[in-house]
Amino acid sequence: MPLPIAVLVSGGGSNLQSIIDTIEEGVLDAEIKLVVSNRARAFGLERARNHGIPTLVLSHKDYRTREDFDRAMVKAIHDHGVSAPHGAVVMAGFMRIVTHELLAAFPDRVLNIHPALLPSFPGVHGQGDAADYGVKISGCTVHFVDEEMDHGPVIIQAAVPCNAGEDGDELGPRILKLEHRVFSQAINWLAQDRLEIQGRHVHLKVAGIPLADAPRADVEPSCCALVCPPLEEGF
Ligand code: GRF
């Protein structure tokens, strides 16, 4: 059965689009049951509608606390057939800090993508902060969400070079291209039940083989882009 997911967006939704595309290509084994946005004008909503995916706008301004907002979101997600332990929540450019209310309803089932190599440059300006700092390498991170912002165990990271003099607007698109690949890959690993969290470490199980028997080769980077663990066929 495809992994039932709810996708949370606040903006353009290019990551949502890449998830939709890889599902439609038959590469990502998931089904988007609902797209939720806290902003009525988020273009991500239109992307969802174009593919017949149910959408919902929940404005955080209508709720007194973050917890109240998250409770409403959890109810809507449950009502659309996404619940733990099988279902998952995917934060694809969702610009809100989530609370225990969401995380308790989906333990170890909430994923986020961040446009920097965490733990460097958390927050809303990951690309610009990295560029301004003058780092030579930045990238993106898909991680499990916990109660601290941009903090939970890392599933996959991809690195790109940063050139002297670039700003976030120049660096950002290079990172975004990789976001589109690693996010679907990470969601697919979750769908295949291949992610095992041990403390801060996320182990990738070889399909169908228990962790202890996995050959070491599965963790060696095998592609020229610096993506770890390596992307699998189709992503
Ligand atoms: C991405 O850079 C993502 O990493 C960050 O917000 C941006 C969302 O882009 N969290 P989009 O809405 O998916 O195009």
Side-chain angles (χ1 to χ4, degrees):
M1 186 179 94
L3 174 71
I5 58 174
V7 182
L8 314 183
V9 300
S10 297
S14 69
N15 277 289
L16 167 66
Q17 188 67 57
S18 76
I19 295 166
I20 293 171
D21 292 345
T22 43
I23 290 174
E24 291 185 351
E25 286 159 15
V27 172
L28 169 56
D29 189 21
E31 182 180 352
I32 305 174
K33 300 279 199 181
L34 178 66
V35 170
V36 182
S37 178
N38 61 320
R39 295 195 182 131
R41 295 175 62 185
F43 185 62
L45 292 166
E46 202 169 318
R47 293 182 191 270
R49 287 185 208 113
N50 289 340
H51 292 263
I53 298 167
T55 60
L56 176 70
V57 176
L58 281 181
S59 173
H60 54 275
K61 293 180 191 151
D62 293 340
Y63 296 86
R64 209 173 46 85
T65 64
R66 287 186 188 279
E67 286 76 9
D68 288 348
F69 175 71
D70 281 3
R71 259 193 297 276
M73 208 159 51
V74 167
K75 182 177 182 319
I77 293 170
H78 282 164
D79 287 349
H80 283 79
V82 182
S83 53
H86 191 55
V89 175
V90 171
M91 295 169 58
F94 186 61
M95 307 312 253
R96 301 281 307 161
I97 294 172
V98 296
T99 69
H100 182 72
E101 291 294 331
L102 177 73
L103 299 174
F106 290 92
D108 297 336
R109 305 295 287 178
V110 183
L111 266 53
N112 181 46
I113 185 143
H114 180 72
L117 293 175
L118 293 173
S120 292
F121 310 113
V124 290
H125 304 295
Q127 310 94 325
D129 291 345
D132 292 349
Y133 192 90
V135 295
K136 297 299 185 193
I137 295 173
S138 191
C140 54
T141 304
V142 181
H143 63 95
F144 285 105
V145 175
D146 65 12
E147 286 189 49
E148 280 180 57
M149 186 181 62
D150 299 330
H151 175 268
V154 172
I155 298 169
I156 184 169
Q157 290 186 305
V160 299
C162 307
N163 303 314
E166 278 185 340
D167 61 15
D169 290 342
E170 289 163 292
L171 175 60
R174 202 177 307 133
I175 294 176
L176 194 61
K177 261 190 180 173
L178 277 166
E179 291 187 37
H180 295 162
R181 299 180 62 188
V182 298
F183 210 4
S184 290
Q185 171 69 89
I187 297 165
N188 203 49
W189 284 334
L190 191 72
Q192 295 171 329
D193 195 24
R194 290 174 57 195
L195 300 175
E196 187 169 296
I197 305 174
Q198 290 175 3
R200 281 216 51 89
H201 291 226
V202 179
H203 296 265
L204 176 61
K205 292 185 273 185
V206 172
I209 304 176
L211 191 62
D213 300 328
R216 295 299 302 166
D218 75 308
V219 292
E220 297 301 327
S222 65
C223 50
C224 54
L226 189 50
V227 180
C228 194
L231 296 166
E232 293 176 336
E233 208 178 326
F235 292 95

